[in-house]
Amino acid sequence: MHNPEGGLTPAQSNRSSDKLLKLLEALTEQSEPLRLQDIAQLCDMNASTALRFLTALQQRDYVAQDIDTGRYYITFKICALAQNVSTFSDIRNIALPFMRSAAKIFSESCNLAIENDMTVMYIDVVHGPQKMLISTQRIGNVAPMHSTGVGKLFLTEYGQAELDRLVAVKKLERLTENTFSDEVSLKEELERIRTCGYAFDNQECEVGVRCIAAPIRDYTGRIKAGISISGPAVRMTDDHIFEHLPYLLETAEQISVRMGWQKRD
């Protein structure tokens, strides 16, 4: 059955995904590079299909081809994926007790988020006593980089080429009247964040919601995640935020130290 709008049907897509994963698993089980014919036989598929999947994996740097023999082998990029999963699990375990304390101090929700494909992904949330659940801040949900506190923290480490790509691919959608929806104003905001070390979301992502975010760094000094406090703007006033901001910054610093970061005097 064909998809009237073009492309693969869901069933065809599922079969293709299954074949791709089967090929990837076959490569990881081998101790030496394999010929195309051997890979096709191992995966019970014809050579042209195997070559199509191998080419896709090569383009994403998961598979490489020996120049002399033409044989294919798995690269260490697959290990990086596994390492990322392990790292994010470690971050959650380390951050959770600190998040609970921060949620109590602010009496609002505390969120832990990472960067994922030029978006912010929430990997843990501790609700405050009000138990208000912001629509974007549920575990597994994603939000734009340019309109969230944690997202803007990550953007402070973007070079011009990376920022250009973000603008081209993700756009700077104007979600509210306060969203930084042009590159000039966004870059000015990022410079302010670099100077002060924390980032606001002043109803930039959702009307009526404010957020304050602080960076979590790893042993390289790079921002690995962000911890944020979010709540209704009527409660998240400047007075309330700045009264407890030192605690949030200290919390982020303590988590960073446990991630291997060393504070410089």
Side-chain angles (χ1 to χ4, degrees):
M1 184 175 69
H2 295 286
N3 184 348
E5 298 181 356
L8 299 176
T9 66
Q12 290 171 328
S13 180
N14 287 341
R15 287 195 295 271
S16 294
S17 299
D18 184 67
K19 289 179 180 179
L20 178 62
L21 291 172
K22 187 175 182 179
L23 185 148
L24 195 58
E25 290 170 354
L27 287 173
T28 61
E29 292 169 357
Q30 304 306 310
S31 59
E32 58 186 24
L34 296 175
R35 299 180 305 163
L36 173 62
Q37 296 89 332
D38 296 330
I39 295 170
Q41 185 176 0
L42 274 173
C43 300
D44 193 24
M45 61 180 72
N46 60 52
S48 62
T49 300
L51 180 59
R52 176 161 56 89
F53 289 132
L54 286 167
T55 300
L57 290 168
Q58 274 187 279
Q59 291 174 344
R60 300 290 295 178
D61 296 323
Y62 288 103
V63 165
Q65 189 176 18
D66 188 286
I67 297 176
D68 296 325
T69 67
R71 295 176 181 239
Y72 296 88
Y73 59 93
I74 199 79
T75 71
F76 281 100
K77 188 175 181 181
I78 198 74
C79 298
L81 289 181
Q83 179 62 38
N84 284 341
V85 172
S86 175
T87 298
F88 295 146
S89 177
D90 289 343
I91 291 175
R92 291 180 66 183
N93 292 335
I94 292 170
L96 186 56
F98 293 100
M99 294 173 65
R100 288 171 177 157
S101 296
K104 289 180 181 178
I105 292 292
F106 278 86
S107 295
E108 300 293 349
S109 295
C110 184
N111 317 289
L112 183 66
I114 60 171
E115 180 182 3
N116 180 57
D117 191 25
M118 293 190 294
T119 62
V120 171
M121 176 181 286
Y122 295 92
I123 60 173
D124 213 345
V125 180
V126 174
H127 305 304
Q130 304 292 338
K131 296 185 178 180
M132 178 184 178
L133 186 60
I134 312 303
S135 62
T136 57
Q137 289 152 347
R138 297 183 176 93
I139 296 175
N141 276 19
V142 296
M145 301 277 283
H146 70 289
S147 61
T148 53
V150 172
K152 288 185 290 185
L153 289 172
F154 282 115
L155 290 182
T156 62
E157 295 190 334
Y158 270 36
Q160 185 60 52
E162 293 172 301
L163 193 58
D164 289 342
R165 182 167 179 262
L166 174 80
V167 174
V169 175
K170 296 293 186 180
K171 316 299 181 186
L172 298 180
E173 183 181 356
R174 191 176 184 85
L175 301 175
T176 74
E177 291 183 356
N178 294 341
T179 305
F180 292 94
S181 56
D182 68 90
E183 189 171 345
V184 173
S185 63
L186 177 60
K187 289 174 74 172
E188 291 174 351
E189 169 71 357
L190 296 181
E191 191 57 41
R192 285 192 291 269
I193 294 168
R194 291 187 188 99
T195 300
C196 68
Y198 53 85
F200 277 98
D201 166 5
N202 282 311
Q203 303 187 64
E204 298 159 39
C205 193
E206 296 185 58
V207 175
V209 176
R210 293 188 80 195
C211 167
I212 182 70
I216 295 173
R217 302 180 184 275
D218 65 7
Y219 69 96
T220 68
R222 301 276 296 181
I223 298 174
K224 196 71 175 179
I227 185 171
S228 65
I229 301 292
S230 56
V234 293
R235 293 201 303 263
M236 289 285 285
T237 62
D238 284 349
D239 287 344
H240 181 67
I241 290 173
F242 285 111
E243 178 184 357
H244 303 298
L245 178 58
Y247 183 85
L248 181 65
L249 295 176
E250 175 66 20
T251 294
E253 186 175 296
Q254 289 185 51
I255 298 172
S256 298
V257 169
R258 284 160 177 76
M259 292 295 297
W261 175 70
Q262 292 185 342
K263 184 178 180 179
R264 295 179 180 177
D265 296 330

